[in-house]
Amino acid sequence: MSLARLAALHGVATSYESSPGRSVPVPEDTVAAVLAALGVDASGPAAVAAALAAYEAAERDRLLPTTLVPPAGTLLDPGPLPAGTETALAGEDGAELDPSGPLPLGHHTLTAAAPDGRTATAAVIVAPARVPRPRRRGAGLVLQLPTLLSGRSWGMGDLGDLAELAAWSARTHGMDFVQPGPLHAAVPGGGDRPADPSPYRPSSRRFADPVHLRIEDIPEYRYLDPDDRARADELSGRAAALRDAVRAKGGLVDRDAVWQLKRAALELLLRVELTPGRRVAYHHFLAEQGQPLDDYAAWCALAEIHGPDWRSWPGGLTDPRSTATTRARHDLLDRIDFHCRLAWLADSQLWRAQRIARDAGMGVGVVHELAPGVHPAGADAWAEQSVLAAGCTVGTPPDARDARGRDRGVPPWRPDRLAAAGYGPYRSVLRAALRRAGALRVGDVTGLFRQWWVPAGRPPAEGTYVAYDARAMLAVLVLAAHRAGTPVIGADPGGGAPADRGIRDALAARGVLDTSVLWAEGEPAPEAATTGSDTGAATATATAAVPRPRPPEHWRAGTLATVTTHDLPPTAARLSGTHLAVRHELGLVDTSLPAARAADAVEVGAWLDLLDRLRLLPDGRADERSVITGLYRFLARTPARLVGVWLPDAAGDRRPPHVPGTGAEYPNWRLPVADPDGRTLLLEELADSPRTHRLLAEVAREIRGRAEADDDAEPGGPADGTGAGAGAGTGAGAEAGEPAP
């Protein structure tokens, strides 16, 4: 019981609910390992007793809580203090605030000095009640940008393609947003090891990857001298050949090959002297980004010499603040400046994409996605070792979708260190993510409340939950979004366990939109009667296990609704059942393939029945394109604030972009958007495709037909949440001295 008590004091779960009413105990050695990652020795009874005594002594001596989260406009209540204690409250700019007056929005610092000599500081986070919301109901396109090529991109989708997709879809079909997936800087390949293709394990969440740059859109490209221009043209020709290779049957996106060409071109471009206006804009960017940019660029420069895993670097370079690292920063000033320039160029093209999207009529524009963590070898992990938990990674416990659980391979933030830092690292990440965003999608938003920690060397099923200060984490998010005027979308928190449902409610109360995936939106099904045959019994069992589709009027309003996601099969694969053959071949189907197909057919059939009843299948069930269009028209009939169309669905692609639980066995994140036959489709071909046009036109028609009624039905109408929301990403880009790209 002492271990359980110690764990509870530090927010470490000793059991969890895998499903309603089913409690699963956590192994004691897992609890001890997670406590060790939090700096608490629980290696034996004596160590546990000592840790408990130390914790209780610290609590007795504590003068202030680590963090206070009072509502805006209220008075500060730090709790009971010894008589004669002096307090002072400082705002973000260091100016003194009246601790007895109404509190303004912001991140403040409270200090206290007791007569007995004890002193303490506390972070005071004052946030508005809710984040902004999209100013109108709308639909948009969801994709993974690297997989969408155009006739101008260099072998993978780029920020020029993103701007073109936004402008075309907005002007042609009235789309309100485009969500390109995470664009964070990746850990580059090293030696014979390719770069990690997953956009969800980036090197840094603060800066965009320069591999997304459209080289020809960089202003300095026009001013290359003749020799460098000839070299750039030769690189462009090689890029065209690379693009043709991706377009060939079975072609894959080769991020490393693309980066090799773009990096060579960027080395040429950065020889061109900046014009006075652009030089001022660059220096403004450097000053604005400060230490995080310097750390990121220093990591990039050091990785060029010592490899992309800082944990193996020599001579004290593993410490970003060591004397050796300081000397290295000085010696590598030119390369650090190179990587700072790339970060600035990417930021400029992100701003341009958002401006083009808004100018084309989008109400939201570009929805940026914040990955739930960073690569342990990357820049952010190097710079922020002090607030990351060594020896653990973030994952998910076993559930109905994945009986083995998952290990994402990203280190978690230590909640105690994050709080002690006043949530500064989290604030910095959010500022960067919101900087050019029309809206922000927060990956694994449940991580604001709790995360599943997996000790090193253990399978995901042997992890446990660690709690975070959700009030503080949410307040930081809400304040950042309010200041940016940007709506926030949370990745689907599940909703299976009671704790997850509570998380969903807490997010909704702060105005954070949920993500609703059609295949997960069901209601409990009635018991099915079995028949005498084995096939009939299997079908009845499958029927009883599959929830009934939720009618459109029963869906939640505060959501981004989609049919599928990057972790699920494309809709054409789901309808045809081809995704099960892929999973079976990879050893990911726990039952027999016929049984899995039977269960899948029951689920798909239930949705087709509902579409039939709603008269959303004018061309019948056998027409795949009609069914996909019907599913998206169904979403448009729900009250969901936003409807996301998975771009591969518009193409008829049958290949999942990512199969969770696989690595080298499957080309995750490397499959270009293709037609049903697997032929890569360029952006220009998608824009001319009757299939794509029909789907988007039907969704837009349904949205327009219900927009006015939906706005009238919601409290406050479209102005609720100030309506500043979606457009703020554009305004944020128009900074003093920053020229238009």
Side-chain angles (χ1 to χ4, degrees):
M1 292 301 295
S2 294
L3 178 62
R5 181 163 172 261
L6 181 64
L9 291 172
H10 290 277
V12 179
T14 54
S15 66
Y16 67 97
E17 228 179 355
S18 61
S19 59
R22 183 171 181 268
S23 180
V24 178
V26 175
E28 287 194 358
D29 57 348
T30 292
V31 175
V34 169
L35 283 169
L38 289 166
V40 180
D41 184 0
S43 56
V48 169
L52 279 170
Y55 183 92
E56 291 165 352
E59 286 301 302
R60 284 194 302 270
D61 292 340
R62 185 183 298 277
L63 198 58
L64 290 173
T66 305
T67 309
L68 294 164
V69 189
T74 63
L75 303 181
L76 182 62
D77 180 10
L81 293 171
T85 299
E86 296 182 354
T87 61
L89 183 65
E92 292 175 78
D93 58 358
E96 184 177 350
L97 300 175
D98 181 3
S100 63
L103 294 168
L105 298 179
H107 296 277
H108 314 308
T109 302
L110 177 67
T111 59
D116 60 8
R118 286 181 295 159
T119 60
T121 62
V124 181
I125 308 170
V126 186
R130 296 169 63 86
V131 301
R133 74 175 212 171
R135 61 181 182 177
R136 65 188 181 217
R137 187 164 186 259
L141 295 171
V142 182
L143 68 152
Q144 293 288 317
L145 180 61
T147 66
L148 176 65
L149 285 73
S150 74
R152 296 184 178 183
S153 48
W154 286 28
M156 62 182 281
D158 61 31
L159 293 171
D161 296 324
L162 177 63
E164 287 293 333
L165 180 67
W168 167 77
S169 64
R171 295 187 187 280
T172 306
H173 293 295
M175 294 292 103
D176 249 3
F177 68 90
V178 58
Q179 180 179 308
L183 302 177
H184 308 307
V187 175
D192 296 329
R193 187 185 69 182
D196 187 342
S198 172
Y200 292 93
R201 291 214 316 163
S203 174
S204 176
R205 295 189 290 178
R206 291 177 171 83
F207 304 100
D209 198 311
V211 76
H212 299 305
L213 285 167
R214 170 68 63 86
I215 296 297
E216 294 85 351
D217 286 350
I218 297 171
E220 285 70 41
Y221 185 83
R222 299 191 293 269
Y223 303 109
L224 289 168
D225 67 33
D227 289 342
D228 284 348
R229 184 54 181 263
R231 171 63 174 155
D233 290 343
E234 187 265 332
L235 292 169
S236 179
R238 290 168 58 190
L242 185 60
R243 182 174 61 246
D244 291 342
V246 180
R247 295 197 69 194
K249 183 76 172 179
L252 299 175
V253 171
D254 188 340
R255 185 188 188 100
D256 289 334
V258 173
W259 176 233
Q260 184 179 11
L261 295 178
K262 288 193 175 182
R263 178 171 170 170
L266 289 164
E267 296 280 3
L268 299 174
L269 290 174
L270 267 63
R271 296 177 188 173
V272 178
E273 185 176 355
L274 294 174
T275 62
R278 283 181 59 75
R279 185 168 61 248
V280 169
Y282 175 50
H283 290 164
H284 176 81
F285 178 78
L286 292 175
E288 185 180 45
Q289 299 302 313
Q291 189 67 51
L293 176 60
D294 188 64
D295 287 342
Y296 164 72
W299 181 91
C300 292
L302 288 165
E304 291 178 338
I305 300 171
H306 302 292
D309 189 342
W310 63 268
R311 296 167 296 186
S312 64
W313 290 352
L317 297 178
T318 57
D319 179 357
R321 309 292 172 234
S322 70
T323 301
T325 301
T326 300
R327 286 197 299 267
R329 289 176 191 256
H330 181 269
D331 295 340
L332 296 171
L333 281 178
D334 286 346
R335 296 309 298 169
I336 289 173
D337 182 66
F338 174 79
H339 291 288
C340 286
R341 286 272 296 274
L342 298 192
W344 172 59
L345 293 174
D347 180 76
S348 298
Q349 290 196 4
L350 286 172
W351 168 59
R352 178 177 180 271
Q354 173 63 1
R355 187 191 64 185
I356 287 173
R358 295 285 284 140
D359 287 349
M362 283 189 162
V364 173
V366 180
V367 178
H368 287 295
E369 185 166 358
L370 181 63
V374 295
H375 199 291
D380 283 3
W382 175 66
E384 295 179 345
Q385 300 168 50
S386 62
V387 294
L388 295 175
C392 285
T393 50
V394 177
T396 57
D399 59 21
R401 290 176 293 182
D402 192 338
R404 293 173 291 188
R406 291 173 61 187
D407 184 349
R408 294 196 180 101
V410 299
W413 267 325
R414 278 184 54 167
D416 56 333
R417 296 275 180 85
L418 199 57
Y423 295 89
Y426 182 44
R427 291 155 53 191
S428 174
V429 166
L430 287 174
R431 280 196 302 270
L434 290 161
R435 177 177 167 83
R436 304 303 191 195
L440 177 66
R441 183 180 188 269
V442 179
D444 189 20
V445 74
T446 57
L448 302 179
F449 297 74
R450 60 176 187 171
Q451 290 191 340
W452 184 259
W453 287 25
V454 181
R458 288 181 170 82
E462 294 182 14
T464 189
Y465 281 113
V466 175
Y468 290 74
D469 185 343
R471 290 184 68 235
M473 296 287 280
L474 264 177
V476 173
L477 173 63
V478 171
L479 180 58
H482 168 79
R483 286 176 164 175
T486 306
V488 176
I489 304 161
D492 185 15
D500 288 335
R501 291 195 294 273
I503 289 172
R504 173 176 284 168
D505 292 342
L507 291 168
R510 303 307 294 268
V512 176
L513 298 182
D514 192 6
T515 300
S516 295
V517 181
L518 180 134
W519 304 108
E521 288 291 330
E523 299 174 333
E527 291 294 328
T530 61
T531 68
S533 69
D534 291 341
T535 302
T539 302
T541 300
T543 301
V546 174
R548 293 179 300 181
R550 192 186 305 277
E553 64 271 16
H554 293 170
W555 283 47
R556 301 182 308 281
T559 68
L560 164 63
T562 67
V563 174
T564 189
T565 74
H566 59 268
D567 278 342
L568 295 174
T571 306
R574 172 79 72 164
L575 297 175
S576 64
T578 56
H579 68 293
L580 291 173
V582 172
R583 291 181 60 80
H584 182 265
E585 185 177 342
L586 294 168
L588 298 175
V589 177
D590 294 328
T591 62
S592 69
L593 186 56
R597 282 176 169 160
D600 203 59
V602 170
E603 182 178 12
V604 171
W607 278 102
L608 294 181
D609 289 343
L610 179 57
L611 295 185
D612 259 339
R613 292 195 297 273
L614 296 173
R615 299 182 180 180
L616 289 172
L617 297 179
D619 298 322
R621 295 176 178 230
D623 189 305
E624 178 185 280
R625 286 178 291 185
S626 175
V627 174
I628 293 174
T629 299
L631 289 169
Y632 280 102
R633 287 182 63 196
F634 172 91
L635 292 184
R637 291 189 179 185
T638 73
R641 190 70 179 172
L642 299 175
V643 173
V645 178
W646 179 238
L647 187 63
D649 279 353
D653 203 339
R654 297 175 182 272
R655 305 167 306 168
H658 174 231
V659 178
T662 63
E665 311 96 319
Y666 188 83
N668 291 306
W669 315 112
R670 301 182 63 201
L671 291 167
V673 175
D675 67 12
D677 297 323
R679 184 180 69 88
T680 299
L681 293 178
L682 296 180
L683 172 58
E684 294 86 347
E685 294 170 308
L686 277 167
D688 289 336
S689 164
R691 177 174 186 150
T692 303
H693 274 282
R694 179 186 174 187
L695 174 57
L696 298 185
E698 289 289 334
V699 171
R701 183 175 63 83
E702 292 280 359
I703 290 286
R704 285 195 303 270
R706 286 159 175 78
E708 184 175 345
D710 289 341
D711 284 339
D712 289 344
E714 292 187 38
D720 185 21
T722 75
T730 300
E735 293 155 351
E738 180 166 358

